[in-house]
Structures are given as C-alpha cells and as structure tokens.
Amino acid sequence: MIRDLRPEDRQQYLEMAHDFYHSPAVLHPVPDACLERSFDEMMRSGDYMRGLIFEEDGRTAGYAVISKTFTQEAGGRVAWVEEIYILPEFRGHGLAHELFASLRELEPAARYRLEIEPDNLRAKRLYAEMGFSRLDYEQMVMDV
C-alpha cells in the first residue's frame, strides 16, 4: 500500500531519510536539518513536494519523495521522483514497481524524472524496465 506521509510519520521518515543519505545510493550525505525542513514543507502543502509511505502488512516499509516543477521541454508539469527508500527487509517485494505503476494517478505530469548514482546498476535496470531513458544533461547547482 502507498499512502501520503502524515505528521505522525516524522520520526520514522527522518530515520529512513538519514539512512538513505548515508548509503551508497547517494553521492554525499545531507544534513539532518535539511531532511527536517523537507518534512516540514511536505506537511505544509503539496505545492512543491509530496511524501509517500510504503506499507506492507501494516508496517512501514519505506518512503518516496516527489518534487514538482514545470518544464518547457515537456510542455507541462514534471514529477521528480527525488527519493525512493525501501527498508532492507522489504526490498525485492515489488514496492518500487507498485509506485511506478500508480505514479500517473498519484502525480499526473507531462514528464517523470529521477536521478541515480552512476554505479547503482540495479536501480538503472529497474528504471529502464519502467520506461525511463537516460537524459544526457550534466547538472550544476549553487547552494546559498
């Protein structure tokens, strides 16, 4: 089951997000303060971000974060699947497949986008199976 993140999920979400950002799936850790601000934003509104919780047999199995934007390239809304984290004991149970199977209903958009750490071959295969293709942009950021 996939449901929206709720205020009572705060501690469990923050623990999972911390684990995600200290795993090989990302290039570098993210300060916990950033994770807390993101949770607060997801609770404030669904304008910019949406948090989803995966549940299996009534237990939290992981989460996903979707960020929202608009692009001229696709002529519409973009749902950026920013994070998918499945707790180790629930991996291989089809939760990511369930998310992608329902993504168009959960977050209608003209384009769905995600990023992966280059060495994460398992994720590359999964996302290719789901219909994602490589976008050859190099990204640059400026944090302030």
Side-chain angles (χ1 to χ4, degrees), residues 57-115:
D57 298 327
R59 299 181 344 177
T60 299
Y63 75 91
V65 172
I66 299 172
S67 294
K68 304 171 189 184
T69 187
F70 194 97
T71 182
Q72 291 194 112
E73 282 187 8
R77 285 177 31 119
V78 176
W80 186 297
V81 183
E82 193 168 345
E83 297 170 25
I84 299 174
Y85 179 75
I86 308 294
L87 290 165
E89 61 268 30
F90 295 100
R91 292 178 187 162
H93 293 201
L95 296 169
H97 282 279
E98 184 180 342
L99 172 67
F100 287 109
S102 58
L103 195 55
R104 289 187 177 124
E105 289 178 34
L106 289 168
E107 280 298 330
R111 174 177 283 171
Y112 296 92
R113 190 169 177 165
L114 50 80
E115 62 187 19

Side-chain angles (χ1 to χ4, degrees), residues 4-55:
D4 282 302
L5 191 65
R6 297 187 290 238
E8 58 267 23
D9 297 316
R10 182 182 184 88
Q11 189 59 40
Q12 197 166 28
Y13 163 78
L14 291 173
E15 289 171 8
M16 290 187 294
H18 176 89
D19 289 347
F20 175 75
Y21 278 104
H22 290 82
S23 77
V26 298
L27 294 176
H28 58 82
V30 169
D32 288 342
C34 292
L35 306 176
E36 292 169 10
R37 285 195 299 272
S38 294
F39 182 88
D40 293 342
E41 177 60 31
M42 289 184 279
M43 292 300 100
R44 186 192 67 78
S45 78
D47 294 342
Y48 300 105
M49 297 177 79
R50 182 177 184 184
L52 300 169
I53 290 288
F54 299 111
E55 289 183 333

